[in-house]
Amino acid sequence: MSSDCNKDMGSNDGMSFWEVLHELENDAPLKDLKRSIFKHRMLKILRKGTVEERNAILKNICKEQIYLNQELMKAWHVAMQVHGNNEAYRIFFQYCIESQEPVLSELANTLSALGGGTPEEVLRSYRPNPRAQLLSSTYSWMFVSQPPACSVLILNVILRTWGVVCMHIMEALRSDLEALELTEEDLGFFSMHDLVGSGDQKMDYTWMVKGLKKVYKE
């Protein structure tokens, strides 16, 4: 999206929240992106690669996510400072911050199950991939420079797309967990974001939609 988020979304004056959300979900480039995920090289290896190859990919994803989540937390705190005077914005971003506790806990558990060490060890010794971290470098800019209604809609798109990634990861692994010497609990970080297969629904997107609606109305 351009720096003029409202303009880029096509002048949403008069559009309801649900109309905007529907428009985003049906955005052609976004649909193409989600379809392309299925054919990604990473998923091909997770489906057909050796145990060592699949374990290495999962471990690297978790390590990159340690850095991505760190930047996201920083961005939410920045958003609180910039937009905290508005009650709807403050409540939404505060909930975003608090909601990361179970996410980071599952991430640490999955990283450990894969033999990747602890988040603290990752931050000390792992050098993240600049390409993988490209998105995270825009988080603080987005929350400061864009109207909150735009930035939270973008955040929703990011999380929903990540949910599609996790759905495909779990689909690729579920039938072969025994060979990998893993359980679904071991892969809790991925299964909690799986939009389809998460039985316990640890990642509840209803709070996001409710918060989005309140922020959008402001």
Side-chain angles (χ1 to χ4, degrees):
M1 292 199 178
S2 70
S3 59
D4 189 347
C5 182
N6 284 322
K7 180 179 178 181
D8 203 48
M9 290 174 62
S11 184
N12 295 319
D13 292 343
M15 292 181 69
S16 72
F17 167 76
W18 296 111
E19 287 172 330
V20 173
L21 209 59
H22 179 75
E23 187 174 287
L24 283 173
E25 289 289 336
N26 288 279
D27 179 68
L30 183 58
K31 279 189 169 183
D32 289 342
L33 172 63
K34 289 180 179 179
R35 281 192 289 265
S36 72
I37 293 170
F38 182 78
K39 300 177 182 178
H40 196 280
R41 172 182 170 276
M42 172 194 75
L43 283 169
K44 291 179 181 179
I45 296 175
L46 289 178
R47 294 185 191 107
K48 302 294 184 181
T50 65
V51 170
E52 292 76 17
E53 288 173 333
R54 287 183 282 182
N55 185 279
I57 285 177
L58 293 171
K59 196 184 303 182
N60 282 340
I61 293 173
C62 286
K63 290 180 177 180
E64 296 292 341
Q65 284 294 320
I66 295 291
Y67 283 90
L68 283 165
N69 277 276
Q70 185 181 57
E71 292 304 312
L72 188 55
M73 286 290 283
K74 289 179 183 176
W76 279 334
H77 281 287
V78 169
M80 283 282 287
Q81 292 175 0
V82 175
H83 304 296
N85 289 333
N86 182 294
E87 184 180 6
Y89 301 163
R90 184 177 66 254
I91 291 173
F92 179 79
F93 288 120
Q94 183 62 44
Y95 194 88
C96 285
I97 292 168
E98 293 172 356
S99 72
Q100 282 299 286
E101 184 177 347
V103 174
L104 295 175
S105 176
E106 288 291 351
L107 178 53
N109 292 340
T110 297
L111 182 67
S112 176
L114 293 167
T118 66
E120 293 76 19
E121 290 170 339
V122 170
L123 292 171
R124 282 198 304 267
S125 61
Y126 178 76
R127 179 175 294 180
N129 185 328
R131 292 180 63 188
Q133 299 298 317
L134 184 61
L135 177 63
S136 68
S137 67
T138 68
Y139 286 153
S140 292
W141 167 86
M142 177 177 72
F143 287 129
V144 170
S145 68
Q146 301 301 311
C150 289
S151 60
V152 297
L153 285 169
I154 296 169
L155 178 62
N156 180 62
V157 169
I158 292 170
L159 288 177
R160 298 289 291 182
T161 304
W162 172 239
V164 173
V165 173
C166 290
M167 176 187 71
H168 288 310
I169 287 175
M170 293 306 298
E171 284 179 346
L173 299 175
R174 271 198 182 94
S175 63
D176 213 18
L177 288 175
E178 188 174 347
L180 293 168
E181 298 184 347
L182 295 168
T183 66
E184 286 217 29
E185 288 74 22
D186 291 332
L187 299 176
F189 175 67
F190 299 109
S191 63
M192 78 184 299
H193 291 92
D194 176 358
L195 295 181
V196 176
S198 180
D200 55 11
Q201 292 296 312
K202 291 179 184 175
M203 190 66 181
D204 183 4
Y205 283 94
T206 57
W207 70 266
M208 171 68 73
V209 175
K210 289 178 181 177
L212 278 171
K213 189 175 182 180
K214 289 181 180 179
V215 171
Y216 182 81
K217 285 183 177 180
E218 290 292 316

